[in-house]
Amino acid sequence: MFRISILTLCMSLASTSSAALTAAVLESGIFEKSERSSEDVLIQGKETVKSEKIVPGLIGQKFGVRFTLSDPVKTDHEVTFLYLTPGIVHPDGSRHDKYEVSKILSSSTPSHAIAFEFTDRWEIRFGTWEMFVFEGDRLLLRERFEVVVPEDVLR
């Protein structure tokens, strides 16, 4: 009887610790270039985020979500970042409607970011972009952005 109770307790703790992981959006939008040194930005992770869902398609434009993870155990978690794109065509001709990246994130770290930055002209695709964070098959976070032709191009 005692062994069954301990086994039941262990199984219960294992399932609740995983199910207890949550994500909360801190900021969502366009990551703006910082006046501070790139070293400060990398160390502190404090790029300014302009709250926008409409993103001009420009080289150097970075957009996404800064978020925090929370769980009672304060441990590391394997998560998957999923980016759904309007269809990026690479220079080799291959089309990519999605990108997946697995990461280990700690819930004791103050914040994390899922973001995309246009570094090459061929990456810029107008339309709906969606970003997801999953733990296994559990959706933790979802944000949608609309990449548009920049206003100065329309004039």
Side-chain angles (χ1 to χ4, degrees):
M1 180 89 161
F2 182 67
R3 264 191 229 166
I4 294 173
S5 298
I6 289 177
L7 179 61
T8 304
L9 177 63
C10 289
M11 288 173 58
S12 174
L13 287 173
S15 66
T16 57
S17 67
S18 176
L21 181 66
T22 60
V25 174
L26 299 173
E27 301 174 287
S28 175
I30 298 171
F31 287 66
E32 296 185 326
K33 300 291 183 220
S34 177
E35 297 297 320
R36 297 179 294 166
S37 73
S38 59
E39 184 177 334
D40 286 343
V41 171
L42 285 174
I43 292 170
Q44 297 174 12
K46 293 294 181 184
E47 296 162 294
T48 303
V49 178
K50 183 179 176 186
S51 182
E52 288 285 337
K53 297 294 183 206
I54 307 296
V55 178
L58 298 167
I59 296 290
Q61 189 73 270
K62 182 178 177 182
F63 59 100
V65 183
R66 184 174 291 129
F67 64 96
T68 186
L69 291 176
S70 176
D71 76 17
V73 195
K74 299 292 182 204
T75 187
D76 293 346
H77 297 272
E78 183 173 357
V79 299
T80 301
F81 287 180
L82 175 64
Y83 302 81
L84 296 183
T85 76
I88 293 177
V89 179
H90 286 234
D92 67 3
S94 63
R95 180 184 167 106
H96 297 267
D97 295 314
K98 70 177 183 173
Y99 294 99
E100 285 186 47
V101 179
S102 293
K103 293 188 172 219
I104 303 292
L105 301 181
S106 174
S107 57
S108 61
T109 302
S111 70
H112 304 280
I114 177 172
F116 195 93
E117 181 173 356
F118 296 127
T119 56
D120 291 296
R121 178 141 316 285
W122 55 265
E123 293 174 319
I124 300 172
R125 287 294 177 256
F126 306 118
T128 302
W129 289 66
E130 291 186 272
M131 297 178 188
F132 301 82
V133 179
F134 288 93
E135 179 194 31
D137 62 353
R138 285 185 56 240
L139 177 63
L140 299 176
L141 182 144
R142 177 185 183 184
E143 274 309 298
R144 176 181 283 189
F145 299 92
E146 196 69 28
V147 175
V148 298
V149 176
E151 284 184 25
D152 59 339
V153 173
L154 296 174
R155 293 182 212 160

